[in-house]
């Protein structure tokens, strides 16, 4: 039985963050990586781009083909971990048993599948893995119009991909606006407009009540009573952490796997990161599941450094999101979705819509659409909790480093490193 | 001194034609560094090639890498799909977008193949200086 | 604006639109706001009338799209009424004011350096190769005793204070206020690197420059700006400024708008007040008065520092100089009529004073005749353009020379002569922070060091040719000079023989 110094379950961003971190301090300790997916590490957010035909197979890879080899990782791809014995530090796959000294669980989330009549028909998809996208892509020739249930990021990016693939799309969202976790009403409208420009309908305050068809999807009925013809339904109402491996084990869970500031679970030596983890959000001063890619990498990295004997804490506040809809940029961060209870500065001009949320003279969130250059400087105001003082009036014009208080500017410019993890 | 010749130098270096007149007239090159001005204070900002590059941590495609030998943080435009996460992640505001039909992120690449980056060479007042090792790769000084 | 039509632009701004890339560097670099960008037509335009011909834009343009040349549009040519006479008269008819100018006298008076030729050794005496043999440019400034006593190979006489300089080229008085801090810092740094001296002018000594005290000449001028015991004792030499070659007989006036921030602190006057240097030193109306000031300064500096007295080269300069030496001056600084200024009435700049060549020769001759040449060093200034001018001045009797304009040129000056406006696109004669920061003291220092080093090399070459291995051996040796195209009277005053003799 092989014993790994480091075992990693999962093969996405958090896992890579951990591997790269481990190897930055430990060049020899053995690393075993276990993934139920058969693929070389690929970029999950690119699956909608793959569906749209924008990204080739080879460009789906998140790291070069020789990544595992170069990083000295023994990768077990397509090897689902069936169980973990946390006391004995063992894990079991169909292929056998392995032992480990340190473990990282970064298995991500799985799509929430609502119970809808007809949900088992051919043509009903979820969108979470490369294989999901492949299947959907091969089904596309049969599709003229599609219905996407869920106006979150996955739903909208899938809808965009389908539009670009030539499909007529209707998006159905139960909430009163799309991207309700990320955007306020007005910025959501900006996004909706991008879809409407493409002839895509977005219906809010409604849901799919029934999917109809013989063997395959033929139409869907909405809760408002209407029915629309479609050959495909995509269920994208959200993801939930994959907790199967830790159910009924000493590993403490809440909504996700609960980790401390070092990304360590309640079981010493066992870490979790990425969409499965419920990590500290410095902005809210509480733990939460925050499935966004940059935080997953950073969390994986902190876990990796600690697994390799370092002392790092995860100190990233604020949800961050940057994407485009039909080429139109939309970025948001922090408490961007809140409507009230804070001072809000907003502007709307040819450069786009922007919105800044301020509490106690500190920026707690923002949305920028259209012109997003230098948004990182604004995000830093949020993450570093820099008092705004006079900066407030400059927010709409675009903040530069030169606008920052001299002391902060000098610290930034002389520092030469930009990770927010505390040493 | 806010002449912005560094930006001109950078644009030319990162253009297709690499000829100051032709590049400007035929293309719309984008500078990978930016001169900021506020009153008489001005300085150029560009990628710090961070030890722990937030842009790379945030890059969804794997287009951004850090060269372990040189420490240079590179961006592979071929892989970039233009999601602008790196722009959101970079606390220095040092990543920009190219013009054109398929815009991608663009950043300082320290001018591969050149002994001295084009911006440093273009600076007539030695406000931009190339510094190695402990210091940030390209140091910014409030122009003398 | 009705009368504006009388004025023709002085310079023509030509832009090659095939080359212009609208990068707007010219626009950002022109303190005169000549260039502007028009978004609507996506084109750069130039307001030719505002151009002063400083060439900053042409130099900075990354595509070489700009040519700045004298405007071809001219008033009708006239042998008596030159373009300049016309322009000045028209301008004064508009303003009723005095026409100001910066820099030095630019008129077509004879330049006597160009009428003096150096000798070289041939056959009967050997020349020296400075690359193979030592060549001494070091010299010492200050009064020398009548005689010295040496006992057991050791000097036992007490010498008056001497200041050693590694090459006989010093930076002349350029005050903080007239020039930017950056420019003065560069002069100080270069002086330190070269082992020579720079001169604060009458603007006081900025606290950041006290670290260059070993290379500083401080001035005590009629306004007494910035003078206190620390200032005097920070210097190697204290210089009393009586006059300046560019504007003999008149004082100076730094307008209150320029007396801001550090300038006001350094000058020790309230911000916003005019800094007026009176025409005379109000406590000096005679040689005796001068002596009182000289000795007051010697007292204040504990007789540790030579006191220099600087005058403009004027008609009876020789008589004045002997008075100055007898009054106790250790150094006589003579400033010829080509000397520069930050601001002077143009009519004075161009019509008052005499050439340094004559003043220097006359003073050296007179001091020798009176047997007091040893009691003072002579520093000559005013229009030195190259190392030949310097070596000729040494041969005429100078111990060292002051260079001002040449130093400014090293720092970027193109002699546009607009120093008096406070707008200097090269960051030299300005207090405007946007403009001043264009001068990187590090670069300016290097350039100054290069210039003086280059000149020093050339001086060594010329000395070697003369068969002389020390600059001090050349001093006052006018036999190494010959005059060309000079009248007998000129030759006599210069104390130089005619070529061929």
């Amino acid at each position: 039985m092989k014993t790994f110094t480091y075992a990693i379950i999962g093969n996405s961003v958090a896992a890579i963050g951990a591997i790269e971190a481990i190897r930055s301090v430990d060049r020899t300790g053995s690393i075993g990586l276990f993934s139920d997916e058969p693929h070389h590490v690929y970029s999950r957010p690119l699956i909608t781009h793959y569906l749209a035909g924008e990204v080739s197979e080879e460009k789906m890879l998140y790291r070069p083909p020789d990544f595992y080899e170069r990083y000295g990782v023994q990768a077990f791809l397509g090897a689902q971990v069936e169980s973990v014995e946390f006391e004995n530090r063992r894990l079991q796959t169909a292929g056998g048993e392995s032992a480990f000294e340190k473990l990282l669980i970064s298995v991500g989330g799985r799509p929430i599948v609502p119970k809808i009549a007809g949900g088992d028909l051919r043509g009903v998809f979820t969108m979470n893995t490369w294989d999901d996208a492949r299947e959907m892509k091969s089904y596309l020739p049969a599709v003229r119009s599609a219905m996407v249930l869920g106006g979150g990021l996955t739903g909208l990016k899938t809808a965009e991909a389908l539009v670009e693939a030539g499909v007529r799309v209707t998006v159905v969202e139960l909430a009163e606006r799309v991207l309700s976790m990320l955007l306020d009403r007005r910025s959501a409208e900006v996004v909706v407009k991008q879809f409407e420009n493409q002839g895509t309908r977005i219906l809010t305050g409604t849901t799919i009540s029934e999917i109809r068809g013989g063997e395959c999807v033929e139409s869907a009925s909405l809760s408002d009573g209407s029915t629309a013809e479609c050959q495909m339904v995509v269920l994208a109402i959200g993801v939930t952490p994959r907790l199967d491996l830790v159910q009924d084990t000493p590993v403490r869970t809440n909504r996700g796997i609960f980790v401390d500031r070092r990304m360590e679970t309640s079981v010493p030596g066992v870490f979790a990161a990425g969409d499965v983890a419920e990590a500290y959000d410095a902005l809210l001063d509480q733990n939460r599941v925050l499935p966004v890619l940059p935080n997953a990498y950073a969390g994986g990295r902190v876990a990796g450094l600690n697994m390799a004997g370092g002392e790092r804490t995860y100190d990233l506040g604020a949800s961050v999101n940057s994407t485009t809809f039909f080429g139109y940029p939309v970025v948001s961060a922090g408490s961007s979705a809140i409507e009230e209870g804070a001072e809000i500065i907003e502007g709307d001009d040819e450069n786009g819509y922007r919105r800044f949320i301020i509490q106690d003279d500190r920026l707690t969130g923002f949305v920028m659409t259209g012109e997003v250059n230098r948004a990182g400087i604004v995000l830093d105001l949020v993450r570093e909790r820099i008092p705004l003082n006079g900066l407030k009036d400059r927010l709409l014009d675009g903040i530069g480093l030169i606008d920052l208080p001299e002391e902060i500017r000098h610290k930034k410019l002389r520092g030469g490193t930009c990770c927010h993890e505390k040493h | 001194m806010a002449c912005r010749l560094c930006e001109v130098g950078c644009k030319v270096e990162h253009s297709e034609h690499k000829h100051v007149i032709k590049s400007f007239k035929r293309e719309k090159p984008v500078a990978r560094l930016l001169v900021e001005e506020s009153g008489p204070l001005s300085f150029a900002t560009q990628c710090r090639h961070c030890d722990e590059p937030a842009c790379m941590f945030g890059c969804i495609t794997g287009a951004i890498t850090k060269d372990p030998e040189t420490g240079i943080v590179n961006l592979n435009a071929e892989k970039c799909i233009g999601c602008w996460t790196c722009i959101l992640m970079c606390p220095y505001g040092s990543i920009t977008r190219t013009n054109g039909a398929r815009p991608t992120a663009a950043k300082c690449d320290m001018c591969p193949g050149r002994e001295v980056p084009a911006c440093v060479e273009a600076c007539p007042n030695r406000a931009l200086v190339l510094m190695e090792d402990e210091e940030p790769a390209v140091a910014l000084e409030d122009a003398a | 604006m009705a009368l504006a039509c009388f004025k023709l632009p002085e310079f023509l701004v030509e832009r090659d639109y095939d080359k212009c890339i609208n990068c707007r560097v010219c626009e950002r670099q022109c303190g005169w706001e000549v260039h502007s960008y028009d978004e609507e037509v996506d084109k750069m335009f130039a307001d030719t009338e505002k151009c002063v011909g400083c060439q900053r834009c042409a130099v900075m343009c990354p595509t070489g799209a700009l040519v700045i040349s004298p405007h071809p549009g001219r008033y009708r040519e006239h042998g008596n009424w030159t373009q300049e006479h016309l322009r000045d008269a028209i301008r004064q008819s508009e303003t009723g004011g005095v026409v100001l100018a910066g820099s030095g006298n630019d008129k077509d008076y004879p330049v006597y350096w160009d009428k003096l030729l150096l000798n070289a050794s041939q056959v009967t005496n050997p020349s020296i190769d400075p690359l193979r043999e030592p060549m001494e440019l070091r010299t010492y400034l200050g009064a020398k005793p009548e005689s010295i006593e040496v006992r057991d190979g050791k000097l036992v006489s007490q010498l008056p204070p001497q200041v050693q300089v590694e090459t006989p080229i010093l930076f002349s008085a350029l005050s903080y206020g007239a020039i930017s801090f950056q420019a003065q810092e560069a002069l100080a740094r270069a002086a330190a690197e070269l082992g020579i001296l720079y001169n604060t002018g009458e603007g006081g000594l900025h606290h950041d420059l006290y670290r260059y005290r070993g290379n500083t000449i401080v001035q005590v001028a009629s306004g007494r700006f910035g003078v206190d015991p620390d200032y005097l004792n920070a210097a190697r030499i204290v210089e009393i400024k009586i006059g300046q070659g560019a504007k003999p007989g008149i004082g100076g006036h730094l307008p209150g708008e320029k007396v801001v921030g550090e300038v006001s602190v350094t000058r020790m006057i309230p911000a916003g007040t005019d800094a007026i240097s009176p025409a005379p030193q109000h406590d000096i109306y005679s040689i005796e008065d001068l002596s009182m000031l000289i000795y007051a300064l010697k007292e204040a500096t504990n007789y540790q520092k030579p006191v220099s007295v600087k005058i403009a080269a004027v008609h009876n300069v020789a008589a004045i100089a002997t008075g100055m030496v007898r009054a106790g001056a250790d150094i006589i600084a003579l400033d010829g009529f080509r000397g520069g200024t930050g601001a002077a009435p143009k009519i004075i700049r161009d019509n008052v004073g005499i050439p340094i060549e004559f003043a220097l020769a006359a003073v050296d001759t007179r001091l020798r005749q009176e047997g007091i040449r040893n009691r003072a060093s002579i520093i000559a200034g005013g229009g030195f353009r190259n190392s030949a001018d310097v070596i000729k001045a040494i041969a005429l009797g100078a111990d060292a020379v002051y260079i001002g304009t040449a130093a400014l040129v090293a720092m970027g000056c193109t002699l546009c002569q607009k120093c008096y406006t406070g707008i200097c696109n090269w960051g030299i004669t300005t207090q405007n922070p946007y403009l001043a920061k264009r001068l990187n003291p590090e670069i300016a220092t290097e350039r100054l060091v290069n210039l003086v080093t280059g000149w020093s090399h050339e001086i060594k070459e010329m000395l070697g040719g003369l068969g002389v291995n020390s600059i001090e051996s050349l001093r006052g040796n006018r036999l190494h000079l010959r005059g060309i195209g000079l009248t007998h009277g000129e030759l006599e005053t210069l104390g130089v023989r005619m070529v061929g003799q």
Side-chain angles (χ1 to χ4, degrees):
Chain A
M1 184 181 61
K2 172 97 182 169
T3 300
F4 292 103
T5 315
Y6 310 100
I8 295 172
I9 310 175
N11 186 21
S12 196
V13 173
I16 301 303
I19 291 168
E20 289 175 346
I22 289 169
R23 282 292 176 246
S24 71
V25 285
D26 178 358
R27 288 179 177 264
T28 53
S30 56
I31 301 178
L33 178 139
F34 302 85
S35 169
D36 57 352
E37 290 187 69
H39 308 292
H40 182 86
V41 59
Y42 65 90
S43 164
R44 204 166 296 278
L46 283 188
I47 60 175
T48 63
H49 298 263
Y50 175 81
L51 174 63
E54 280 170 35
V55 172
S56 64
E57 298 260 338
E58 131 201 331
K59 285 186 186 162
M60 282 295 289
L61 300 190
Y62 181 59
R63 289 294 183 261
D66 62 352
F67 175 81
Y68 303 121
E69 198 184 319
R70 271 204 293 141
Y71 278 78
V73 176
Q74 197 172 344
F76 300 89
L77 303 179
Q80 182 161 12
V81 174
E82 286 158 354
S83 62
V84 181
E85 291 172 43
F86 291 98
E87 293 82 2
N88 299 331
R89 311 244 147 194
R90 304 235 164 125
L91 58 83
Q92 286 80 32
T93 65
E97 195 174 44
S98 301
F100 58 82
E101 290 171 24
K102 300 279 172 62
L103 175 69
L104 173 68
I105 304 171
S106 51
V107 292
R110 79 157 50 86
I112 300 168
V113 180
K115 287 202 164 24
I116 300 174
D120 52 356
L121 290 173
R122 277 198 67 199
V124 178
F125 295 92
T126 55
M127 187 63 163
N128 190 49
T129 63
W130 194 356
D131 288 342
D132 291 341
R134 281 175 199 272
E135 280 171 34
M136 218 189 276
K137 197 169 185 174
S138 62
Y139 196 74
L140 277 182
V143 180
R144 288 185 309 283
S145 56
M147 195 159 294
V148 175
L149 179 63
L153 207 51
T154 307
L156 291 186
K157 288 302 284 182
T158 306
E160 178 192 24
L162 290 171
V163 170
E164 278 166 0
V167 176
R168 273 178 53 97
V169 180
T170 303
V171 178
V172 180
E173 167 60 49
L174 183 60
E176 46 122 25
R177 64 174 189 268
V178 296
L179 296 171
S180 58
M181 300 297 284
L182 303 178
L183 303 181
D184 67 299
R185 203 175 302 116
R186 275 197 65 187
S187 30
E189 279 165 16
V190 173
V191 172
V192 168
K193 188 137 191 306
Q194 305 308 317
F195 280 89
E196 285 173 350
N197 290 344
Q198 304 290 327
T200 301
R201 285 195 308 161
I202 295 190
L203 308 174
T204 54
T206 185
T207 187
I208 296 177
S209 51
E210 189 184 353
I211 304 168
R212 300 210 185 114
E215 192 186 333
C216 302
V217 174
E218 287 164 20
S219 69
S221 303
L222 302 185
S223 54
D224 63 9
S226 64
T227 297
E229 174 236 23
C230 61
Q231 295 76 41
M232 177 187 269
V233 170
V234 182
L235 304 176
I237 61 169
V239 290
T240 182
R242 290 172 60 172
L243 298 177
D244 326 338
L245 283 176
V246 292
Q247 223 84 65
D248 305 319
T249 70
V251 176
R252 181 184 160 199
T253 61
N254 189 28
R255 293 198 52 193
I257 299 177
F258 200 88
V259 292
D260 63 13
R261 301 280 286 274
R262 300 176 67 249
M263 305 304 286
E264 196 165 17
T265 68
S266 57
V267 175
V270 175
F271 294 75
D275 296 2
V276 75
E278 186 170 329
Y280 183 68
D281 183 331
L283 196 66
L284 301 179
D285 191 28
Q286 66 182 47
N287 280 39
R288 68 190 281 220
V289 174
L290 187 59
V292 302
L293 186 142
N295 295 22
Y297 185 97
R301 180 178 169 77
V302 169
L305 290 170
N306 288 326
M307 288 164 77
E311 267 305 325
R312 277 293 186 96
T313 54
Y314 177 83
D315 199 28
L316 278 182
S319 147
V320 286
N321 261 292
S322 176
T323 190
T324 60
F325 295 106
F326 305 101
Y328 190 78
V330 177
V331 307
S332 62
S335 61
S336 47
I338 71 166
E339 294 280 359
E340 47 203 36
E343 183 185 350
I344 287 164
I345 297 177
E346 56 179 353
D348 199 356
D349 57 27
E350 69 278 5
N351 288 327
Y353 172 72
R354 51 209 57 219
R355 179 173 199 270
F356 301 93
I357 295 97
I358 297 164
Q359 279 163 320
D360 301 327
D361 199 40
R362 280 165 173 78
L363 196 63
T364 59
F366 64 94
V367 179
M368 291 164 78
T369 74
E371 181 52 77
V372 297
N373 275 2
R374 315 208 87 196
I377 296 177
V378 185
L379 177 63
D380 212 40
L381 293 178
V382 177
R383 287 190 160 165
E384 295 292 316
R385 300 173 196 79
I386 294 168
L388 290 176
N389 292 325
L391 278 178
K392 210 156 79 175
D393 305 329
R394 305 251 329 115
L395 285 169
L396 284 177
D397 305 332
I399 292 239
L401 294 178
I402 208 155
D403 299 309
L404 301 178
E406 199 175 330
E407 188 189 324
I408 292 167
R409 185 176 70 230
H410 278 257
K411 207 173 103 200
K412 271 180 98 154
L413 291 181
R414 308 284 170 204
T417 181
C418 65
C419 192
H420 298 272
E421 297 158 17
K422 294 258 164 68
H423 292 251
Chain B
M1 58 188 180
C3 65
R4 295 182 174 245
L5 277 171
C6 51
E7 292 179 6
V8 173
C10 181
K11 284 180 183 178
V12 175
E13 178 67 19
H14 296 96
S15 67
E16 197 189 322
H17 295 95
K18 299 206 178 204
H19 180 281
V20 62
I21 297 172
K22 208 168 166 188
S23 299
F24 268 77
K25 302 236 175 203
R26 287 282 186 84
E27 308 168 42
K28 275 193 180 164
V30 170
R32 284 113 198 272
L33 82 173
L34 178 73
V35 174
E36 294 195 38
E37 295 175 58
S38 172
L41 175 67
S42 61
F43 52 74
T45 58
Q46 69 276 68
C47 175
R48 324 287 305 165
H49 300 280
C50 303
D51 291 339
E52 305 198 0
C55 59
M56 180 183 119
F57 295 174
C59 177
I60 69 167
T61 67
I64 300 180
T65 51
K66 186 173 174 73
D67 188 315
E69 302 289 312
T70 62
I72 294 172
V73 176
N74 284 305
L75 190 151
N76 177 356
E78 289 291 305
K79 274 203 100 170
C80 176
I81 56 148
C83 72
W84 319 128
T85 305
C86 52
I87 288 181
L88 178 58
M89 299 308 293
C90 176
Y92 302 103
S94 293
I95 302 182
T96 186
R97 296 181 285 163
T98 60
N99 293 311
R102 199 186 75 90
T104 62
K107 64 178 289 300
C108 168
D109 55 5
M110 294 295 282
C111 292
R114 256 176 177 277
E115 209 160 295
V116 173
C119 55
V120 174
E121 194 176 289
C123 179
N125 208 27
R126 228 178 279 167
L128 278 173
V129 200
L130 185 67
M131 290 162 85
E132 308 259 351
D133 294 328
E134 311 304 23
E135 294 297 313
V138 171
L140 312 163
E141 290 184 358
D142 297 351
Chain C
M1 287 302 286
L3 292 177
C5 58
F6 282 92
K7 265 198 304 191
L8 286 173
E10 276 184 78
F11 295 95
L12 179 67
V13 180
E14 286 174 289
R15 191 186 315 272
D16 183 342
Y17 281 107
D18 282 342
K19 290 184 179 170
C20 178
I21 55 171
N22 295 333
C23 68
R24 303 175 72 175
V25 169
C26 51
E27 180 189 13
R28 284 189 283 268
Q29 287 296 300
C30 183
W32 298 93
E33 298 176 350
V34 168
H35 305 277
S36 59
Y37 174 69
D38 189 307
E39 211 159 333
E40 242 171 82
V41 293
D42 188 30
K43 248 184 173 177
M44 298 299 305
F45 289 122
D47 191 345
T48 282
E49 278 186 28
K50 293 180 183 166
C51 179
V52 302
C54 81
Q55 304 290 350
R56 177 83 181 181
C57 59
V59 170
M60 296 288 285
C61 175
T63 65
L66 286 168
V67 177
I68 313 295
S69 46
H71 203 287
R74 297 171 77 78
Y75 304 106
R76 192 190 192 289
E77 294 298 337
H78 193 292
N80 187 34
W81 281 87
T82 63
Q83 299 291 312
E84 187 179 350
H85 287 133
L86 278 163
R87 203 187 312 278
D88 288 350
I90 289 168
R91 200 189 307 170
Q92 285 187 293
S93 311
E94 277 170 22
T95 64
V98 171
V99 178
L100 291 177
S103 194
N105 186 333
D106 65 356
K107 293 298 165 295
D108 191 21
Y109 296 103
V111 178
Y112 286 88
W113 301 127
D114 296 339
K115 296 174 190 293
L116 292 169
L117 294 169
L118 286 163
N119 195 21
S121 305
Q122 302 292 308
V123 183
T124 56
N125 53 349
S127 53
I128 301 169
D129 182 349
L131 295 176
R132 290 165 184 273
E133 292 177 56
M135 186 64 72
E136 192 75 84
L137 295 190
R138 178 181 296 169
T139 190
Y140 297 85
L141 302 173
K144 310 292 184 291
E146 300 285 335
S147 60
I148 51 167
E149 197 182 331
V150 179
R151 216 176 291 148
D152 302 331
K154 277 189 184 146
L155 183 67
V156 290
S157 320
Q158 183 76 23
L159 284 184
Q162 301 292 315
V163 173
Q164 176 184 322
V165 292
E166 298 305 321
T167 190
I169 303 167
L170 317 178
F171 298 132
S172 61
L174 291 155
S175 72
Y176 174 43
I179 59 171
S180 61
F181 176 77
Q182 286 84 342
Q184 201 176 51
E185 186 191 353
L187 290 165
R189 282 167 65 171
E193 219 166 293
L194 290 160
I196 60 166
L197 305 167
Y198 80 104
N199 188 317
T200 61
E202 53 187 302
L205 181 61
H206 192 278
H207 46 81
D208 287 353
L209 298 184
Y210 271 79
R211 73 181 85 148
Y212 302 106
R213 58 199 311 149
N215 302 86
T216 306
I217 300 174
V218 299
Q219 261 194 354
V220 175
S222 61
R224 297 285 197 277
F225 298 122
V227 179
D228 70 1
D230 289 344
Y231 173 74
L232 296 174
N233 283 295
R236 293 301 298 280
I237 295 172
V238 178
E239 183 169 271
I240 299 169
K241 181 195 174 184
I242 302 290
Q244 184 176 344
K247 44 180 175 179
I250 67 164
H253 180 184
L254 191 67
E257 302 89 72
K258 288 194 182 172
V259 183
V260 289
E262 296 285 287
V263 174
S264 105
V265 173
T266 305
R267 293 206 170 208
M268 301 182 187
I269 53 173
T273 54
D274 290 2
I276 294 171
S277 299
Q281 297 248 0
H282 279 306
D283 49 0
I284 301 175
Y285 286 81
S286 65
I287 291 296
E288 290 76 9
D289 289 345
L290 175 64
S291 188
M292 302 235 316
L293 181 59
I294 291 172
Y295 279 94
L297 294 172
K298 288 188 176 186
E299 284 288 336
T301 55
N302 202 24
Y303 294 86
Q304 298 295 305
K305 300 171 194 303
V307 172
S308 164
V309 179
K310 177 181 176 180
I311 57 168
V314 289
H315 300 174
N316 52 347
V317 63
I320 297 165
T322 82
M324 283 155 56
V325 174
R326 291 175 192 286
D330 302 302
I331 297 167
I332 305 296
L334 301 170
D335 198 12
F337 81 147
R338 297 275 183 189
T341 177
K346 195 166 155 209
I347 206 78
I348 305 253
R349 187 196 75 172
D350 293 350
N351 295 283
V352 181
I354 64 168
I356 186 60
E357 299 90 328
F358 286 96
L360 172 59
V363 168
D364 180 66
T365 303
R366 177 68 80 87
L367 295 183
R368 286 182 198 225
Q369 283 167 351
E370 298 190 7
I372 54 171
R373 177 64 184 84
N374 61 297
R375 283 166 59 181
S377 298
I378 299 176
I379 306 175
F384 290 90
R385 305 154 302 170
N386 58 34
S387 58
D389 294 355
V390 175
I391 195 169
K392 289 170 188 174
I394 305 285
L396 277 183
D399 288 80
V401 304
Y402 268 144
I403 58 167
T405 305
L408 298 181
V409 169
M411 290 194 276
C413 171
T414 58
L415 302 195
C416 76
Q417 308 190 17
K418 295 291 177 190
C419 332
Y420 64 94
T421 62
I423 301 174
C424 174
N425 279 335
W426 300 87
I428 303 169
T429 60
T430 182
Q431 301 306 320
N432 177 334
Y434 289 88
L435 300 175
K437 71 181 213 174
R438 295 178 180 185
L439 190 77
N440 182 343
E442 181 186 304
I443 299 174
T445 301
E446 281 175 22
R447 298 181 62 88
L448 287 163
V449 169
N450 285 343
L451 183 79
V452 174
T453 305
W455 284 17
S456 299
H457 281 311
E458 290 175 344
I459 290 170
K460 285 182 179 177
E461 291 284 350
M462 288 184 280
L463 278 179
L466 293 172
V468 174
N469 65 3
S470 150
I471 195 77
E472 295 195 338
S473 305
L474 177 70
R475 186 191 314 131
N477 189 346
R478 301 185 200 173
L479 283 171
H480 284 302
L481 296 173
R482 289 291 186 273
I484 185 166
L486 297 175
T487 65
H488 279 290
E490 288 166 334
L491 289 168
E492 196 185 322
T493 309
L494 290 170
V496 168
R497 291 194 194 171
M498 197 161 73
V499 286
Q501 286 186 335

